[in-house]
Amino acid sequence: VQLQASGGGLVQAGESLRLSCAASGRLLNVNGMAWYRQGPGQQREWVASITSGGSTNYRDSVKGRFTISRDNTKNTGYLQMNDLKPEDTAVYYCKAMVVRLARPVVEYWGQGTQVTVSS
């Protein structure tokens, strides 16, 4: 199973980006998915999460600007980031709880995608 994150880039403050996180390989489906980020010199922090049923949660600093979503038919999650701020600059990681046949649910992490917001 692989978890591939993509969509990062360099943008100016106020602009938008959409991150994607695709799970592939020998899996049945994906339960919860989440996005984390790690800024320069900072610890990794949780950003948003979504259950298999579509319930969402966000850290306070991104509420109203970021939207997490998913397409269960594609085992893919998304993070739409609007009105980006310089403090959103970080490497963004996705995490997914992967269900495989006759095996326990396993947590997978994507490789990270860089988001840089200039002022």
Side-chain angles (χ1 to χ4, degrees):
V1 176
Q2 291 186 329
L3 204 57
Q4 180 73 35
S6 61
L10 171 63
V11 297
Q12 294 186 333
E15 294 184 338
S16 300
L17 280 174
R18 187 192 195 206
L19 306 183
S20 298
C21 175
S24 62
R26 302 185 69 161
L27 64 129
L28 293 179
N29 53 49
V30 176
N31 284 348
M33 300 185 79
W35 289 94
Y36 289 74
R37 66 187 181 188
Q38 186 167 14
Q42 299 178 0
Q43 292 188 333
R44 189 174 297 188
E45 63 182 20
W46 167 79
V47 176
S49 57
I50 185 168
T51 67
S52 57
S55 296
T56 59
N57 279 291
Y58 302 90
R59 70 180 300 108
D60 287 346
S61 62
V62 307
K63 283 181 181 177
R65 300 188 298 122
F66 289 14
T67 302
I68 188 171
S69 62
R70 61 189 293 163
D71 183 339
N72 291 336
T73 65
K74 297 179 180 179
N75 291 319
T76 299
Y78 306 95
L79 186 67
Q80 176 67 43
M81 305 184 294
N82 298 329
D83 189 24
L84 282 160
K85 305 176 184 301
E87 51 265 39
D88 295 319
T89 295
V91 177
Y92 283 70
Y93 299 89
C94 61
K95 184 183 76 174
M97 303 305 294
V98 175
V99 181
R100 298 173 297 165
L101 181 64
R103 296 191 178 186
V105 176
V106 176
E107 177 182 287
Y108 282 85
W109 286 84
Q111 83 285 8
T113 183
Q114 177 70 47
V115 172
T116 303
V117 185
S118 63
S119 58

